[in-house]
Amino acid sequence: MEKSNVEIKLDELIMVEKPYNILQNLELMEYGGIKAKVYNEYLDPDEGGPMGGAECGRHLAILGSIALAYGFHHKRRHYYLAVHAVLERKTSHISESNHFIAYAIPVLAEKRKGKIYGEILDEHNAVLFTAEVEYMIMSPAVFTKFYENFKLDEEIPAVESPYRNRRRLTNLVFKGDRISADYGTIVGSECEGHFKNYPALPVAVIGDLFRELGFALYKKFFPGYDKMISPRTSIRAYRLAFHGESVAFVGRISKRISRGVILVTAEAKVGDEIISSVEFEVKGVKSENHS
């Protein structure tokens, strides 16, 4: 694909900032696509690399919002809230890598909603993940009016990136094929860069907590695997979860797909309100797949 030397200024496009947005070397491609480089900031020891599914979702959702913003709202900053994503891992092979190439192309753009297709490639240009992400687009005026009760005038930045050193689930309780766990009360510094004065736990972080929940459930019934991966994930976000709110998780095995592969269904809740839901496959990977 041909590229353009048009300068892309992140602070003129979207509301997501560092340290949550760690995309580098952005390039505008033909057909309105955006290319970027990204490094692997977080990978849980249980998940097979080179990149975790939630991290893939994180980077492609951000890159996709930039692609939409550049094509349709680049003169004004907007909030691009990911409301649905379908992620597919294209290989079961486990490897290690720190840097990746990401692409995102708009496939739908309207005043209040958009959709992108994205890919994460390894250093050999092999496709590791594909994603389709849908967004609700909100102007700053609408966003601040809708979430005014969650405004935080003074933010305290984390000592190190909260996306590198993450809080894990606690109080895991197993009951048959079901599991529950607590995340606890969201702290503003855990949401740094997402968003300024309105710190909300990113959907990708919630997605990684879903993974932690599902992997714990998998290990209980299928011990003996070195790593686990998620071949396919469909996640929905119904609303943001802000600082000061307490989040809990519940999940279950909804289907045994084949030997060593299950389908997990889970929900994240604030009180009795479901804020996010997910359906994802979990597959165990043996050591012979290691590179």
Side-chain angles (χ1 to χ4, degrees):
M1 292 189 292
E2 296 179 356
K3 66 181 182 180
S4 167
N5 291 325
V6 175
E7 184 180 5
I8 302 173
K9 297 181 179 179
L10 296 182
D11 60 355
E12 294 180 358
L13 298 178
I14 64 174
M15 297 296 187
V16 177
E17 302 170 341
K18 292 180 180 180
Y20 187 58
N21 182 353
I22 56 173
L23 298 173
Q24 302 172 345
N25 301 336
L26 274 74
E27 296 178 2
L28 177 64
M29 314 302 287
E30 63 179 343
Y31 306 119
I34 301 286
K35 173 185 176 182
K37 292 183 179 180
V38 67
Y39 61 89
N40 202 26
E41 186 174 45
Y42 178 82
L43 181 65
D44 187 89
D46 284 335
E47 188 163 15
M51 178 180 281
E55 276 297 272
C56 163
R58 166 190 175 184
H59 302 310
L60 289 181
I62 295 172
L63 188 63
S65 68
I66 295 171
L68 287 173
Y70 189 84
F72 302 96
H73 295 288
H74 63 277
K75 293 183 180 179
R76 297 175 55 201
R77 298 179 78 189
H78 282 64
Y79 289 88
Y80 296 80
L81 309 180
V83 294
H84 182 217
V86 176
L87 310 174
E88 292 189 3
R89 178 167 176 147
K90 294 302 182 179
T91 177
S92 296
H93 182 72
I94 303 303
S95 61
E96 295 183 3
S97 181
N98 290 323
H99 291 83
F100 305 85
I101 298 296
Y103 292 96
I105 301 173
V107 296
L108 171 69
E110 298 180 356
K111 184 176 181 180
R112 294 183 178 87
K113 63 181 180 179
K115 183 178 180 179
I116 65 97
Y117 169 81
E119 296 180 347
I120 293 279
L121 284 67
D122 67 13
E123 56 190 7
H124 304 294
N125 288 324
V127 178
L128 299 173
F129 288 94
T130 64
E132 292 183 353
V133 184
E134 299 174 26
Y135 303 83
M136 177 171 60
I137 304 172
M138 300 177 72
S139 69
V142 171
F143 182 91
T144 53
K145 182 178 181 180
F146 199 74
Y147 294 116
E148 58 184 351
N149 291 337
F150 295 101
K151 186 175 182 181
L152 188 65
D153 291 322
E154 183 179 357
E155 294 186 53
I156 302 175
V159 175
E160 69 172 311
S161 170
Y163 310 111
R164 181 184 297 275
N165 183 23
R166 303 187 183 187
R167 193 197 332 173
R168 299 181 65 86
L169 295 171
T170 60
N171 302 324
L172 275 70
V173 177
F174 297 88
K175 189 175 182 180
D177 285 358
R178 298 178 180 271
I179 186 173
S180 62
D182 294 327
Y183 180 75
T185 302
I186 300 169
V187 179
S189 59
E190 294 176 315
C191 315
E192 194 174 354
H194 187 274
F195 301 97
K196 185 176 177 61
N197 297 125
Y198 296 87
L201 199 64
V203 175
V205 173
I206 293 175
D208 192 63
L209 294 166
F210 277 137
R211 174 211 54 77
E212 185 181 339
L213 191 81
F215 281 17
L217 195 57
Y218 186 92
K219 287 192 292 185
K220 179 177 173 62
F221 290 96
F222 300 91
Y225 288 98
D226 300 297
K227 301 285 184 179
M228 289 159 281
I229 62 172
S230 299
R232 189 179 189 277
T233 300
S234 176
I235 183 170
R236 295 184 181 275
Y238 306 109
R239 78 158 174 89
L240 294 167
F242 290 91
H243 68 96
E245 295 191 301
S246 184
V247 184
F249 289 79
V250 294
R252 63 186 176 90
I253 298 176
S254 54
K255 183 178 181 181
R256 285 171 167 80
I257 298 173
S258 62
R259 184 177 179 181
V261 183
I262 62 172
L263 185 67
V264 175
T265 302
E267 298 170 343
K269 297 181 177 182
V270 172
D272 294 328
E273 182 182 6
I274 298 173
I275 62 167
S276 182
S277 65
V278 71
E279 185 178 77
F280 65 106
E281 297 174 7
V282 181
K283 178 181 179 179
V285 181
K286 295 285 189 178
S287 58
E288 57 261 30
N289 281 346
H290 287 215
S291 59

